[in-house]
Amino acid sequence: MQRLNVHLHTQRNPPYVLNLDPAVLNLPYEANIDIRDSINYKEVMKQYPSTLSGVTVDMVLVQMEP
């Protein structure tokens, strides 16, 4: 992802980058939308210890509803 991001910036075609991994500690690039701003994965893991991926998708969909 980082290489693609750098390549597109050098081509003067900056990408719109999304981070959909709530458990990533560091991103080597800047994300326009970062799911970590909306979801605290540690709290989710306390409530749903073995289903983080499915819960994350559900939470994203709920937050997208008008």
Side-chain angles (χ1 to χ4, degrees):
M1 187 66 198
Q2 180 181 8
R3 287 183 182 182
L4 178 59
N5 189 23
V6 169
H7 172 73
L8 291 172
H9 276 286
T10 61
Q11 299 296 314
R12 298 180 192 261
N13 188 15
Y16 197 83
V17 180
L18 307 173
N19 172 40
L20 298 178
D21 184 352
V24 70
L25 297 177
N26 297 312
L27 288 177
Y29 48 85
E30 185 176 337
N32 296 89
I33 295 178
D34 194 340
I35 196 71
R36 298 176 300 172
D37 295 337
S38 302
I39 296 175
N40 182 333
Y41 86 94
K42 289 182 182 181
E43 290 299 317
V44 173
M45 287 300 292
K46 287 179 187 176
Q47 294 177 20
Y48 307 94
S50 63
T51 59
L52 181 60
S53 295
V55 171
T56 301
V57 170
D58 289 343
M59 291 178 80
V60 169
L61 293 174
V62 167
Q63 289 195 5
M64 292 175 66
E65 291 179 359

Short mmCIF file of all heavy atoms in Angstrom, two decimals:
data_model
loop_
_atom_site.label_atom_id
_atom_site.label_comp_id
_atom_site.label_asym_id
_atom_site.label_seq_id
_atom_site.Cartn_x
_atom_site.Cartn_y
_atom_site.Cartn_z
N MET A 1 0.82 -1.18 0.00
CA MET A 1 0.00 0.00 0.00
C MET A 1 0.87 1.26 0.00
O MET A 1 0.57 2.21 -0.70
CB MET A 1 -0.93 -0.06 1.21
CG MET A 1 -1.93 1.02 1.26
SD MET A 1 -3.09 0.84 -0.09
CE MET A 1 -3.76 2.45 -0.14
N GLN A 2 1.93 1.22 0.79
CA GLN A 2 2.79 2.39 0.86
C GLN A 2 3.42 2.68 -0.50
O GLN A 2 3.46 3.83 -0.95
CB GLN A 2 3.87 2.21 1.91
CG GLN A 2 4.79 3.42 2.02
CD GLN A 2 5.89 3.24 3.03
OE1 GLN A 2 6.09 2.18 3.57
NE2 GLN A 2 6.63 4.30 3.27
N ARG A 3 3.89 1.65 -1.19
CA ARG A 3 4.51 1.85 -2.50
C ARG A 3 3.51 2.40 -3.51
O ARG A 3 3.83 3.27 -4.31
CB ARG A 3 5.12 0.55 -3.01
CG ARG A 3 6.38 0.17 -2.28
CD ARG A 3 6.98 -1.07 -2.87
NE ARG A 3 8.15 -1.45 -2.13
CZ ARG A 3 8.91 -2.48 -2.43
NH1 ARG A 3 8.59 -3.25 -3.46
NH2 ARG A 3 9.96 -2.76 -1.73
N LEU A 4 2.31 1.86 -3.50
CA LEU A 4 1.28 2.35 -4.41
C LEU A 4 0.96 3.81 -4.11
O LEU A 4 0.83 4.63 -5.02
CB LEU A 4 0.02 1.49 -4.30
CG LEU A 4 -1.16 1.90 -5.16
CD1 LEU A 4 -0.79 1.89 -6.64
CD2 LEU A 4 -2.33 0.98 -4.89
N ASN A 5 0.87 4.14 -2.84
CA ASN A 5 0.60 5.52 -2.43
C ASN A 5 1.70 6.46 -2.93
O ASN A 5 1.41 7.51 -3.51
CB ASN A 5 0.48 5.56 -0.90
CG ASN A 5 -0.02 6.89 -0.39
OD1 ASN A 5 -0.66 7.65 -1.09
ND2 ASN A 5 0.27 7.16 0.87
N VAL A 6 2.94 6.08 -2.74
CA VAL A 6 4.07 6.91 -3.18
C VAL A 6 4.05 7.03 -4.70
O VAL A 6 4.24 8.12 -5.25
CB VAL A 6 5.41 6.32 -2.69
CG1 VAL A 6 6.59 7.00 -3.37
CG2 VAL A 6 5.52 6.44 -1.18
N HIS A 7 3.83 5.93 -5.39
CA HIS A 7 3.81 5.96 -6.85
C HIS A 7 2.73 6.92 -7.37
O HIS A 7 2.99 7.73 -8.26
CB HIS A 7 3.57 4.55 -7.41
CG HIS A 7 3.35 4.52 -8.88
ND1 HIS A 7 4.37 4.72 -9.79
CD2 HIS A 7 2.22 4.35 -9.61
CE1 HIS A 7 3.88 4.66 -11.01
NE2 HIS A 7 2.58 4.44 -10.94
N LEU A 8 1.53 6.83 -6.83
CA LEU A 8 0.46 7.69 -7.29
C LEU A 8 0.74 9.16 -6.98
O LEU A 8 0.41 10.04 -7.78
CB LEU A 8 -0.87 7.25 -6.70
CG LEU A 8 -1.39 5.92 -7.24
CD1 LEU A 8 -2.61 5.46 -6.46
CD2 LEU A 8 -1.71 6.01 -8.73
N HIS A 9 1.37 9.43 -5.86
CA HIS A 9 1.73 10.82 -5.55
C HIS A 9 2.78 11.34 -6.52
O HIS A 9 2.72 12.51 -6.92
CB HIS A 9 2.21 10.95 -4.11
CG HIS A 9 1.11 11.09 -3.11
ND1 HIS A 9 0.39 12.25 -2.97
CD2 HIS A 9 0.60 10.22 -2.22
CE1 HIS A 9 -0.52 12.10 -2.03
NE2 HIS A 9 -0.42 10.86 -1.56
N THR A 10 3.74 10.50 -6.90
CA THR A 10 4.77 10.95 -7.85
C THR A 10 4.19 11.17 -9.24
O THR A 10 4.73 11.95 -10.02
CB THR A 10 5.95 9.96 -7.92
OG1 THR A 10 5.47 8.70 -8.36
CG2 THR A 10 6.66 9.85 -6.60
N GLN A 11 3.09 10.51 -9.55
CA GLN A 11 2.43 10.68 -10.84
C GLN A 11 1.46 11.87 -10.83
O GLN A 11 0.72 12.08 -11.77
CB GLN A 11 1.67 9.41 -11.22
CG GLN A 11 2.53 8.19 -11.37
CD GLN A 11 3.52 8.33 -12.51
OE1 GLN A 11 3.16 8.77 -13.59
NE2 GLN A 11 4.77 8.00 -12.24
N ARG A 12 1.45 12.59 -9.72
CA ARG A 12 0.54 13.74 -9.52
C ARG A 12 -0.93 13.31 -9.61
O ARG A 12 -1.78 14.03 -10.12
CB ARG A 12 0.85 14.86 -10.51
CG ARG A 12 2.23 15.42 -10.33
CD ARG A 12 2.50 16.52 -11.32
NE ARG A 12 3.90 16.86 -11.34
CZ ARG A 12 4.44 17.88 -10.70
NH1 ARG A 12 3.69 18.65 -9.96
NH2 ARG A 12 5.71 18.12 -10.78
N ASN A 13 -1.16 12.13 -9.10
CA ASN A 13 -2.52 11.58 -9.04
C ASN A 13 -2.73 11.02 -7.63
O ASN A 13 -2.78 9.81 -7.44
CB ASN A 13 -2.68 10.48 -10.10
CG ASN A 13 -4.11 10.03 -10.22
OD1 ASN A 13 -5.02 10.69 -9.73
ND2 ASN A 13 -4.31 8.90 -10.86
N PRO A 14 -2.83 11.90 -6.63
CA PRO A 14 -2.90 11.41 -5.25
C PRO A 14 -4.13 10.54 -5.00
O PRO A 14 -5.23 10.89 -5.42
CB PRO A 14 -2.94 12.68 -4.40
CG PRO A 14 -3.39 13.75 -5.33
CD PRO A 14 -2.97 13.35 -6.71
N PRO A 15 -3.94 9.43 -4.33
CA PRO A 15 -5.06 8.52 -4.05
C PRO A 15 -5.88 8.99 -2.85
O PRO A 15 -5.43 9.82 -2.06
CB PRO A 15 -4.36 7.21 -3.73
CG PRO A 15 -3.07 7.65 -3.10
CD PRO A 15 -2.68 8.90 -3.84
N TYR A 16 -7.07 8.47 -2.74
CA TYR A 16 -7.90 8.66 -1.56
C TYR A 16 -7.76 7.37 -0.77
O TYR A 16 -8.22 6.31 -1.20
CB TYR A 16 -9.35 8.91 -1.96
CG TYR A 16 -10.17 9.50 -0.83
CD1 TYR A 16 -10.14 10.86 -0.59
CD2 TYR A 16 -10.94 8.69 -0.01
CE1 TYR A 16 -10.88 11.42 0.45
CE2 TYR A 16 -11.67 9.23 1.02
CZ TYR A 16 -11.64 10.59 1.24
OH TYR A 16 -12.37 11.13 2.28
N VAL A 17 -7.07 7.41 0.36
CA VAL A 17 -6.66 6.22 1.09
C VAL A 17 -7.56 5.98 2.30
O VAL A 17 -7.83 6.89 3.07
CB VAL A 17 -5.19 6.36 1.54
CG1 VAL A 17 -4.73 5.13 2.30
CG2 VAL A 17 -4.29 6.62 0.34
N LEU A 18 -7.99 4.72 2.45
CA LEU A 18 -8.79 4.30 3.60
C LEU A 18 -8.01 3.28 4.41
O LEU A 18 -7.42 2.36 3.84
CB LEU A 18 -10.09 3.63 3.14
CG LEU A 18 -10.97 4.37 2.16
CD1 LEU A 18 -12.11 3.48 1.71
CD2 LEU A 18 -11.50 5.64 2.78
N ASN A 19 -8.02 3.42 5.72
CA ASN A 19 -7.49 2.38 6.59
C ASN A 19 -8.68 1.70 7.24
O ASN A 19 -9.41 2.31 8.01
CB ASN A 19 -6.57 2.94 7.68
CG ASN A 19 -6.20 1.84 8.68
OD1 ASN A 19 -5.96 0.72 8.30
ND2 ASN A 19 -6.20 2.19 9.94
N LEU A 20 -8.87 0.42 6.93
CA LEU A 20 -9.99 -0.34 7.50
C LEU A 20 -9.53 -1.37 8.52
O LEU A 20 -10.28 -2.26 8.87
CB LEU A 20 -10.77 -1.02 6.36
CG LEU A 20 -11.41 -0.06 5.36
CD1 LEU A 20 -12.10 -0.84 4.26
CD2 LEU A 20 -12.37 0.89 6.04
N ASP A 21 -8.30 -1.22 8.99
CA ASP A 21 -7.77 -2.13 10.01
C ASP A 21 -7.73 -1.40 11.35
O ASP A 21 -6.84 -0.59 11.59
CB ASP A 21 -6.38 -2.60 9.63
CG ASP A 21 -5.80 -3.61 10.59
OD1 ASP A 21 -6.42 -3.86 11.66
OD2 ASP A 21 -4.73 -4.16 10.31
N PRO A 22 -8.67 -1.68 12.24
CA PRO A 22 -8.71 -0.95 13.51
C PRO A 22 -7.59 -1.34 14.47
O PRO A 22 -7.35 -0.62 15.44
CB PRO A 22 -10.08 -1.33 14.09
CG PRO A 22 -10.36 -2.67 13.51
CD PRO A 22 -9.76 -2.64 12.13
N ALA A 23 -6.89 -2.44 14.20
CA ALA A 23 -5.85 -2.89 15.12
C ALA A 23 -4.44 -2.53 14.67
O ALA A 23 -3.49 -2.83 15.39
CB ALA A 23 -5.96 -4.41 15.31
N VAL A 24 -4.28 -1.89 13.53
CA VAL A 24 -2.94 -1.53 13.08
C VAL A 24 -2.38 -0.46 14.01
O VAL A 24 -3.08 0.46 14.42
CB VAL A 24 -2.95 -1.07 11.60
CG1 VAL A 24 -3.64 0.26 11.44
CG2 VAL A 24 -1.54 -0.99 11.06
N LEU A 25 -1.11 -0.61 14.36
CA LEU A 25 -0.50 0.34 15.28
C LEU A 25 0.04 1.57 14.55
O LEU A 25 -0.12 2.69 15.01
CB LEU A 25 0.62 -0.33 16.07
CG LEU A 25 0.17 -1.48 16.98
CD1 LEU A 25 1.37 -2.12 17.65
CD2 LEU A 25 -0.85 -1.00 17.99
N ASN A 26 0.71 1.36 13.43
CA ASN A 26 1.31 2.47 12.68
C ASN A 26 1.01 2.31 11.20
O ASN A 26 1.10 1.21 10.66
CB ASN A 26 2.83 2.49 12.86
CG ASN A 26 3.23 2.73 14.29
OD1 ASN A 26 2.71 3.63 14.93
ND2 ASN A 26 4.14 1.92 14.80
N LEU A 27 0.68 3.41 10.56
CA LEU A 27 0.51 3.41 9.11
C LEU A 27 1.70 4.16 8.51
O LEU A 27 2.00 5.28 8.93
CB LEU A 27 -0.78 4.15 8.71
CG LEU A 27 -2.09 3.46 9.00
CD1 LEU A 27 -3.25 4.36 8.60
CD2 LEU A 27 -2.18 2.15 8.26
N PRO A 28 2.37 3.57 7.53
CA PRO A 28 3.51 4.25 6.91
C PRO A 28 3.08 5.27 5.85
O PRO A 28 3.90 5.70 5.05
CB PRO A 28 4.31 3.10 6.29
CG PRO A 28 3.30 2.06 6.02
CD PRO A 28 2.25 2.20 7.10
N TYR A 29 1.82 5.61 5.85
CA TYR A 29 1.27 6.58 4.90
C TYR A 29 0.10 7.27 5.58
O TYR A 29 -0.39 6.82 6.61
CB TYR A 29 0.80 5.88 3.61
CG TYR A 29 -0.05 4.67 3.88
CD1 TYR A 29 -1.41 4.79 4.09
CD2 TYR A 29 0.51 3.40 3.94
CE1 TYR A 29 -2.20 3.69 4.37
CE2 TYR A 29 -0.27 2.29 4.21
CZ TYR A 29 -1.61 2.44 4.41
OH TYR A 29 -2.39 1.34 4.69
N GLU A 30 -0.34 8.37 5.01
CA GLU A 30 -1.46 9.10 5.59
C GLU A 30 -2.77 8.59 4.98
O GLU A 30 -2.88 8.46 3.77
CB GLU A 30 -1.31 10.58 5.32
CG GLU A 30 -2.37 11.42 5.99
CD GLU A 30 -2.13 12.91 5.78
OE1 GLU A 30 -1.00 13.32 5.52
OE2 GLU A 30 -3.13 13.65 5.90
N ALA A 31 -3.73 8.29 5.83
CA ALA A 31 -5.03 7.83 5.36
C ALA A 31 -6.03 8.98 5.42
O ALA A 31 -6.08 9.72 6.39
CB ALA A 31 -5.53 6.68 6.22
N ASN A 32 -6.83 9.11 4.36
CA ASN A 32 -7.87 10.13 4.36
C ASN A 32 -8.97 9.78 5.35
O ASN A 32 -9.53 10.65 6.01
CB ASN A 32 -8.47 10.27 2.96
CG ASN A 32 -7.46 10.75 1.96
OD1 ASN A 32 -6.76 9.93 1.36
ND2 ASN A 32 -7.34 12.05 1.80
N ILE A 33 -9.28 8.50 5.43
CA ILE A 33 -10.26 8.00 6.40
C ILE A 33 -9.59 6.87 7.16
O ILE A 33 -9.06 5.93 6.56
CB ILE A 33 -11.54 7.50 5.72
CG1 ILE A 33 -12.26 8.66 5.05
CG2 ILE A 33 -12.46 6.80 6.74
CD1 ILE A 33 -13.52 8.28 4.31
N ASP A 34 -9.61 6.96 8.48
CA ASP A 34 -8.97 5.96 9.33
C ASP A 34 -10.01 5.40 10.30
O ASP A 34 -10.54 6.13 11.13
CB ASP A 34 -7.81 6.59 10.10
CG ASP A 34 -6.90 5.57 10.73
OD1 ASP A 34 -7.32 4.41 10.93
OD2 ASP A 34 -5.75 5.94 11.06
N ILE A 35 -10.29 4.11 10.17
CA ILE A 35 -11.31 3.47 11.00
C ILE A 35 -10.96 3.56 12.48
O ILE A 35 -11.83 3.53 13.34
CB ILE A 35 -11.52 2.00 10.55
CG1 ILE A 35 -12.82 1.43 11.11
CG2 ILE A 35 -10.35 1.12 10.98
CD1 ILE A 35 -14.05 2.00 10.50
N ARG A 36 -9.68 3.73 12.79
CA ARG A 36 -9.26 3.85 14.19
C ARG A 36 -9.82 5.09 14.85
O ARG A 36 -9.90 5.17 16.07
CB ARG A 36 -7.74 3.84 14.30
CG ARG A 36 -7.10 2.55 13.79
CD ARG A 36 -5.61 2.62 13.81
NE ARG A 36 -5.13 3.71 12.97
CZ ARG A 36 -3.87 4.11 12.92
NH1 ARG A 36 -2.96 3.54 13.66
NH2 ARG A 36 -3.53 5.11 12.14
N ASP A 37 -10.23 6.07 14.05
CA ASP A 37 -10.86 7.27 14.60
C ASP A 37 -12.27 6.98 15.12
O ASP A 37 -12.80 7.73 15.92
CB ASP A 37 -10.93 8.38 13.55
CG ASP A 37 -9.57 8.87 13.12
OD1 ASP A 37 -8.60 8.70 13.91
OD2 ASP A 37 -9.46 9.40 12.01
N SER A 38 -12.86 5.89 14.65
CA SER A 38 -14.25 5.56 15.00
C SER A 38 -14.40 4.32 15.86
O SER A 38 -15.40 4.18 16.56
CB SER A 38 -15.08 5.36 13.72
OG SER A 38 -15.03 6.50 12.92
N ILE A 39 -13.44 3.42 15.77
CA ILE A 39 -13.58 2.13 16.45
C ILE A 39 -12.37 1.88 17.34
O ILE A 39 -11.23 1.95 16.88
CB ILE A 39 -13.71 0.98 15.43
CG1 ILE A 39 -14.99 1.15 14.63
CG2 ILE A 39 -13.66 -0.37 16.12
CD1 ILE A 39 -15.17 0.15 13.52
N ASN A 40 -12.63 1.59 18.60
CA ASN A 40 -11.57 1.20 19.53
C ASN A 40 -11.55 -0.33 19.56
O ASN A 40 -12.40 -0.96 20.17
CB ASN A 40 -11.86 1.77 20.92
CG ASN A 40 -10.79 1.43 21.92
OD1 ASN A 40 -10.10 0.42 21.80
ND2 ASN A 40 -10.66 2.27 22.93
N TYR A 41 -10.58 -0.92 18.87
CA TYR A 41 -10.57 -2.37 18.72
C TYR A 41 -10.43 -3.10 20.05
O TYR A 41 -10.95 -4.19 20.22
CB TYR A 41 -9.50 -2.82 17.72
CG TYR A 41 -8.13 -3.02 18.31
CD1 TYR A 41 -7.72 -4.27 18.74
CD2 TYR A 41 -7.24 -1.97 18.45
CE1 TYR A 41 -6.47 -4.47 19.29
CE2 TYR A 41 -6.00 -2.15 18.99
CZ TYR A 41 -5.61 -3.40 19.41
OH TYR A 41 -4.37 -3.58 19.96
N LYS A 42 -9.77 -2.49 21.03
CA LYS A 42 -9.63 -3.16 22.33
C LYS A 42 -10.98 -3.31 23.01
O LYS A 42 -11.27 -4.34 23.61
CB LYS A 42 -8.66 -2.39 23.22
CG LYS A 42 -7.22 -2.50 22.74
CD LYS A 42 -6.27 -1.76 23.65
CE LYS A 42 -4.85 -1.86 23.11
NZ LYS A 42 -3.89 -1.19 23.96
N GLU A 43 -11.82 -2.29 22.91
CA GLU A 43 -13.17 -2.39 23.47
C GLU A 43 -14.01 -3.42 22.72
O GLU A 43 -14.77 -4.17 23.32
CB GLU A 43 -13.86 -1.02 23.44
CG GLU A 43 -13.29 -0.02 24.40
CD GLU A 43 -13.40 -0.49 25.85
OE1 GLU A 43 -14.47 -1.02 26.24
OE2 GLU A 43 -12.42 -0.32 26.59
N VAL A 44 -13.86 -3.46 21.41
CA VAL A 44 -14.59 -4.44 20.60
C VAL A 44 -14.15 -5.86 20.98
O VAL A 44 -14.98 -6.76 21.12
CB VAL A 44 -14.39 -4.19 19.09
CG1 VAL A 44 -15.00 -5.31 18.26
CG2 VAL A 44 -14.97 -2.84 18.70
N MET A 45 -12.85 -6.06 21.16
CA MET A 45 -12.34 -7.38 21.53
C MET A 45 -12.85 -7.83 22.90
O MET A 45 -13.03 -9.01 23.13
CB MET A 45 -10.81 -7.39 21.50
CG MET A 45 -10.23 -7.36 20.10
SD MET A 45 -10.74 -8.77 19.09
CE MET A 45 -9.89 -10.09 19.93
N LYS A 46 -13.06 -6.88 23.80
CA LYS A 46 -13.61 -7.24 25.10
C LYS A 46 -15.04 -7.77 24.95
O LYS A 46 -15.45 -8.71 25.62
CB LYS A 46 -13.61 -6.04 26.05
CG LYS A 46 -12.24 -5.67 26.55
CD LYS A 46 -12.33 -4.44 27.45
CE LYS A 46 -10.97 -3.94 27.85
NZ LYS A 46 -11.05 -2.70 28.64
N GLN A 47 -15.81 -7.15 24.07
CA GLN A 47 -17.21 -7.54 23.89
C GLN A 47 -17.36 -8.75 22.98
O GLN A 47 -18.26 -9.56 23.18
CB GLN A 47 -18.00 -6.37 23.31
CG GLN A 47 -18.10 -5.19 24.24
CD GLN A 47 -18.84 -4.03 23.60
OE1 GLN A 47 -19.58 -4.19 22.66
NE2 GLN A 47 -18.62 -2.84 24.14
N TYR A 48 -16.51 -8.87 21.95
CA TYR A 48 -16.61 -9.94 20.96
C TYR A 48 -15.23 -10.52 20.73
O TYR A 48 -14.60 -10.27 19.71
CB TYR A 48 -17.16 -9.39 19.64
CG TYR A 48 -18.45 -8.63 19.78
CD1 TYR A 48 -18.44 -7.24 19.91
CD2 TYR A 48 -19.67 -9.29 19.77
CE1 TYR A 48 -19.62 -6.52 20.04
CE2 TYR A 48 -20.86 -8.59 19.90
CZ TYR A 48 -20.82 -7.21 20.03
OH TYR A 48 -22.00 -6.52 20.15
N PRO A 49 -14.74 -11.35 21.65
CA PRO A 49 -13.33 -11.77 21.62
C PRO A 49 -12.86 -12.51 20.36
O PRO A 49 -11.71 -12.42 20.01
CB PRO A 49 -13.19 -12.68 22.83
CG PRO A 49 -14.48 -12.72 23.50
CD PRO A 49 -15.45 -11.88 22.77
N SER A 50 -13.72 -13.20 19.64
CA SER A 50 -13.20 -14.00 18.52
C SER A 50 -13.72 -13.58 17.16
O SER A 50 -13.47 -14.26 16.18
CB SER A 50 -13.54 -15.47 18.75
OG SER A 50 -14.94 -15.64 18.77
N THR A 51 -14.43 -12.46 17.08
CA THR A 51 -15.04 -12.09 15.80
C THR A 51 -14.77 -10.65 15.41
O THR A 51 -15.65 -9.96 14.94
CB THR A 51 -16.56 -12.32 15.85
OG1 THR A 51 -17.09 -11.52 16.91
CG2 THR A 51 -16.92 -13.76 16.07
N LEU A 52 -13.55 -10.20 15.56
CA LEU A 52 -13.23 -8.79 15.30
C LEU A 52 -13.58 -8.37 13.87
O LEU A 52 -14.19 -7.34 13.66
CB LEU A 52 -11.76 -8.50 15.59
CG LEU A 52 -11.34 -7.04 15.37
CD1 LEU A 52 -12.13 -6.12 16.28
CD2 LEU A 52 -9.87 -6.88 15.61
N SER A 53 -13.23 -9.17 12.88
CA SER A 53 -13.46 -8.76 11.49
C SER A 53 -14.94 -8.55 11.20
O SER A 53 -15.33 -7.55 10.62
CB SER A 53 -12.88 -9.79 10.52
OG SER A 53 -11.49 -9.83 10.66
N GLY A 54 -15.76 -9.50 11.59
CA GLY A 54 -17.20 -9.37 11.34
C GLY A 54 -17.81 -8.22 12.10
O GLY A 54 -18.65 -7.49 11.58
N VAL A 55 -17.40 -8.02 13.32
CA VAL A 55 -17.92 -6.92 14.13
C VAL A 55 -17.50 -5.59 13.55
O VAL A 55 -18.30 -4.65 13.48
CB VAL A 55 -17.44 -7.05 15.59
CG1 VAL A 55 -17.79 -5.81 16.38
CG2 VAL A 55 -18.05 -8.28 16.24
N THR A 56 -16.28 -5.50 13.08
CA THR A 56 -15.80 -4.25 12.49
C THR A 56 -16.63 -3.88 11.27
O THR A 56 -17.06 -2.74 11.12
CB THR A 56 -14.31 -4.37 12.08
OG1 THR A 56 -13.56 -4.68 13.25
CG2 THR A 56 -13.81 -3.08 11.48
N VAL A 57 -16.89 -4.83 10.41
CA VAL A 57 -17.70 -4.57 9.23
C VAL A 57 -19.09 -4.11 9.64
O VAL A 57 -19.62 -3.14 9.10
CB VAL A 57 -17.77 -5.81 8.31
CG1 VAL A 57 -18.81 -5.62 7.22
CG2 VAL A 57 -16.40 -6.09 7.72
N ASP A 58 -19.68 -4.78 10.61
CA ASP A 58 -21.01 -4.39 11.09
C ASP A 58 -20.99 -2.96 11.64
O ASP A 58 -21.89 -2.18 11.38
CB ASP A 58 -21.51 -5.34 12.17
CG ASP A 58 -21.86 -6.70 11.62
OD1 ASP A 58 -22.03 -6.82 10.38
OD2 ASP A 58 -21.98 -7.65 12.41
N MET A 59 -19.95 -2.61 12.41
CA MET A 59 -19.88 -1.28 13.00
C MET A 59 -19.70 -0.21 11.93
O MET A 59 -20.26 0.87 12.02
CB MET A 59 -18.75 -1.23 14.03
CG MET A 59 -19.04 -2.06 15.26
SD MET A 59 -17.68 -2.03 16.42
CE MET A 59 -17.98 -0.46 17.20
N VAL A 60 -18.92 -0.51 10.90
CA VAL A 60 -18.73 0.44 9.81
C VAL A 60 -20.06 0.67 9.11
O VAL A 60 -20.43 1.80 8.82
CB VAL A 60 -17.66 -0.05 8.82
CG1 VAL A 60 -17.66 0.80 7.56
CG2 VAL A 60 -16.29 -0.04 9.47
N LEU A 61 -20.79 -0.39 8.84
CA LEU A 61 -22.07 -0.25 8.15
C LEU A 61 -23.06 0.55 8.99
O LEU A 61 -23.80 1.37 8.47
CB LEU A 61 -22.64 -1.63 7.81
CG LEU A 61 -21.85 -2.41 6.77
CD1 LEU A 61 -22.42 -3.81 6.61
CD2 LEU A 61 -21.80 -1.70 5.45
N VAL A 62 -23.07 0.33 10.30
CA VAL A 62 -23.97 1.08 11.17
C VAL A 62 -23.63 2.56 11.14
O VAL A 62 -24.50 3.41 11.07
CB VAL A 62 -23.91 0.53 12.62
CG1 VAL A 62 -24.56 1.47 13.58
CG2 VAL A 62 -24.55 -0.85 12.68
N GLN A 63 -22.33 2.88 11.16
CA GLN A 63 -21.93 4.28 11.17
C GLN A 63 -22.20 4.96 9.83
O GLN A 63 -22.33 6.17 9.77
CB GLN A 63 -20.46 4.41 11.52
CG GLN A 63 -20.20 4.08 12.97
CD GLN A 63 -18.85 4.54 13.43
OE1 GLN A 63 -18.11 5.18 12.70
NE2 GLN A 63 -18.52 4.22 14.65
N MET A 64 -22.32 4.19 8.77
CA MET A 64 -22.58 4.77 7.46
C MET A 64 -24.07 5.06 7.22
O MET A 64 -24.41 5.78 6.30
CB MET A 64 -22.05 3.84 6.36
CG MET A 64 -20.54 3.76 6.35
SD MET A 64 -19.92 2.57 5.18
CE MET A 64 -20.40 3.30 3.62
N GLU A 65 -24.93 4.49 8.05
CA GLU A 65 -26.36 4.71 7.87
C GLU A 65 -26.67 6.18 8.17
O GLU A 65 -26.10 6.77 9.07
CB GLU A 65 -27.16 3.80 8.80
CG GLU A 65 -27.07 2.34 8.40
CD GLU A 65 -27.85 1.44 9.34
OE1 GLU A 65 -28.44 1.94 10.31
OE2 GLU A 65 -27.83 0.23 9.12
N PRO A 66 -27.63 6.77 7.40
CA PRO A 66 -27.95 8.19 7.63
C PRO A 66 -28.61 8.44 8.96
O PRO A 66 -29.18 7.68 9.60
CB PRO A 66 -28.90 8.52 6.49
CG PRO A 66 -29.27 7.24 5.85
CD PRO A 66 -28.35 6.18 6.33
#
